[in-house]
Amino acid sequence: MAAVAGLVRGPLRQVSGLLKRRFHRSAPAALQLTVREAINQGMDEELERDEKVFLLGEEVAQYDGAYKVSRGLWKKYGDKRIIDTPISEMGFAGIAVGAAMAGLRPICEFMTFNFSMQAIDQVINSAAKTYYMSAGLQPVPIVFRGPNGASAGVAAQHSQCFAAWYGHCPGLKVVSPWNSEDAKGLIKSAIRDDNPVVVLENELMYGVAFELPTEAQSKDFLIPIGKAKIERQGTHITVVAHSRPVGHCLEAAAVLSKEGIECEVINLRTIRPMDIEAIEASVMKTNHLVTVEGGWPQFGVGAEICARIMEGPAFNFLDAPAVRVTGADVPMPYAKILEDNSIPQVKDIIFAIKKTLNV
């Protein structure tokens, strides 16, 4: 009998183990979404929600987008709402601005923001200024979006950051997402906004997956334009960044934490209007400030932050001068080793933080 019981118990244990493994596998996993998928999901939800929304740009329709950000949208919404354009930024940006003035809500994709220089008259003179020049009678609800800043191995003409360029102009709102939550929440807010919004994405972030919080999975999820987010709490120094450098700052903060230095990392999210209140509150707590960006130093985002801090109530709380970490003040080199030394790396951020804290 004991032998028979042993023969029965063996298979039962195997079945039990198999069931446990299957149950474990079927447990709901945290939703991982790449930045590319998050932007796609945000646009899809807004296209579905409002029939006035449409997307136009080079290769956005039949090819699913040069970076596959608009994958599946043409098949779902058709030629009238997902529109392939000729290689003529001035032309299709002008068409998009006119459509916005006529009551539609266009999403105008630039294959890269470097090409937006061909259409900058439409972005600034036609889109940004019309609401003011019409005394508030003519809104221009348009989104200009696409990859911004340095990519990899594409040299000087395709590696510029336009955050300071467009952040300089009244009449525009400018957002710069870092992770998937940022990307989805900000693109949806940008589409619903009645002002022209420039959405500066980052090509190197498109394929990076992040955990999407439960609330961000809702079709009603929005991130308010003009509000920064504290990504990591700290007490010794405030580190402010936008776009891809936010990740570098968090890496630097993790390294420095092991040395007893606690960094407060702020993800700016919006370039214009800037959430200077969030930065001031943090600086009043930490008494030190470092800004990090991929763009050039002169008249940059970091320069604006430092000026606003100097002019405001947080200045008297600083125990050391604010320090900027920026891209090198040169056109982007093509050689990889020179390219790496032309954009901020984690080691550069660590060096700047230690310099500011005098350690």
Side-chain angles (χ1 to χ4, degrees):
M1 289 295 292
V4 172
L7 288 171
V8 173
R9 280 197 297 268
L12 282 175
R13 277 196 295 268
Q14 289 176 344
V15 171
S16 174
L18 183 62
L19 287 172
K20 283 179 182 177
R21 286 195 296 275
R22 284 186 177 174
F23 178 78
H24 178 72
R25 286 173 186 166
S26 64
L31 180 61
Q32 292 278 326
L33 210 64
T34 65
V35 172
R36 172 189 290 110
E37 291 166 339
I39 300 167
N40 179 283
Q41 188 177 102
M43 291 195 297
D44 186 11
E45 290 173 3
E46 294 306 303
L47 284 158
E48 188 177 75
R49 174 181 172 272
D50 186 350
E51 64 181 14
K52 293 179 181 177
V53 177
F54 71 98
L55 171 68
L56 80 166
E58 295 157 1
E59 300 181 351
V60 299
Q62 296 187 43
Y63 191 66
D64 282 339
Y67 302 99
K68 307 306 176 192
V69 173
S70 53
R71 177 177 283 147
L73 297 182
W74 175 66
K75 290 180 180 176
K76 183 173 181 180
Y77 296 104
D79 290 323
K80 289 188 176 180
R81 297 187 67 195
I82 312 296
I83 303 169
D84 278 329
T85 66
I87 303 173
S88 176
E89 282 77 14
M90 174 63 88
F92 68 73
I95 288 169
V97 172
M101 290 179 178
L104 299 178
R105 305 187 84 88
I107 307 167
C108 177
E109 177 182 309
F110 295 118
M111 192 180 289
T112 153
F113 260 96
N114 299 280
F115 301 154
S116 76
M117 292 173 70
Q118 303 292 327
I120 202 162
D121 181 62
Q122 299 288 3
V123 177
I124 304 302
N125 281 328
S126 299
K129 298 177 182 177
T130 297
Y131 188 64
Y132 176 84
M133 294 179 72
S134 67
L137 296 177
Q138 180 61 69
V140 187
I142 185 172
V143 174
F144 299 102
R145 55 154 294 271
N148 169 69
S151 177
V154 291
Q157 293 173 328
H158 297 78
S159 301
Q160 298 162 118
C161 176
F162 285 83
W165 293 55
Y166 290 118
H168 183 64
C169 301
L172 288 178
K173 294 184 179 181
V174 183
V175 300
S176 182
W178 164 55
N179 61 12
S180 300
E181 180 184 355
D182 294 351
K184 181 181 178 183
L186 288 171
I187 190 67
K188 287 170 69 70
S189 292
I191 293 167
R192 295 189 192 189
D193 203 291
D194 286 334
N195 299 282
V197 183
V198 173
V199 182
L200 301 172
E201 300 156 10
N202 187 286
E203 180 186 338
L204 297 178
M205 296 304 298
Y206 280 149
V208 181
F210 292 89
E211 188 173 315
L212 199 67
T214 306
E215 62 270 19
Q217 297 173 32
S218 165
K219 290 186 177 182
D220 298 319
F221 175 70
L222 298 170
I223 290 176
I225 294 173
K227 291 295 181 184
K229 181 186 179 186
I230 297 175
E231 297 286 352
R232 180 187 177 111
Q233 297 280 350
T235 53
H236 295 130
I237 190 164
T238 299
V239 186
V240 185
H242 68 94
S243 191
R244 187 167 175 252
V246 173
H248 296 341
C249 291
L250 290 171
E251 288 181 47
V255 171
L256 290 167
S257 181
K258 296 174 183 175
E259 301 178 27
I261 299 170
E262 294 301 331
C263 304
E264 182 142 296
V265 179
I266 296 180
N267 174 7
L268 208 50
R269 280 182 167 174
T270 304
I271 306 301
R272 184 183 186 105
M274 186 179 288
D275 189 0
I276 198 67
E277 293 81 8
I279 302 170
E280 285 176 338
S282 180
V283 169
M284 288 177 179
K285 179 175 73 172
T286 67
N287 311 116
H288 299 89
L289 173 64
V290 168
T291 68
V292 184
E293 63 187 304
W296 293 313
Q298 192 154 320
F299 310 111
V301 175
E304 175 66 15
I305 292 170
C306 292
R308 299 276 285 275
I309 291 296
M310 185 188 72
E311 294 166 349
F315 177 69
N316 291 323
F317 288 79
L318 284 173
D319 288 341
V323 172
R324 292 178 294 155
V325 180
T326 72
D329 197 17
V330 295
M332 180 63 74
Y334 175 70
K336 187 177 188 317
I337 189 167
L338 295 177
E339 181 183 71
D340 290 343
N341 281 281
S342 297
I343 50 178
Q345 307 292 340
V346 174
K347 62 181 176 59
D348 303 316
I349 300 167
I350 292 172
F351 178 82
I353 290 169
K354 288 186 172 182
K355 175 186 172 183
T356 307
L357 292 173
N358 197 26
V359 295

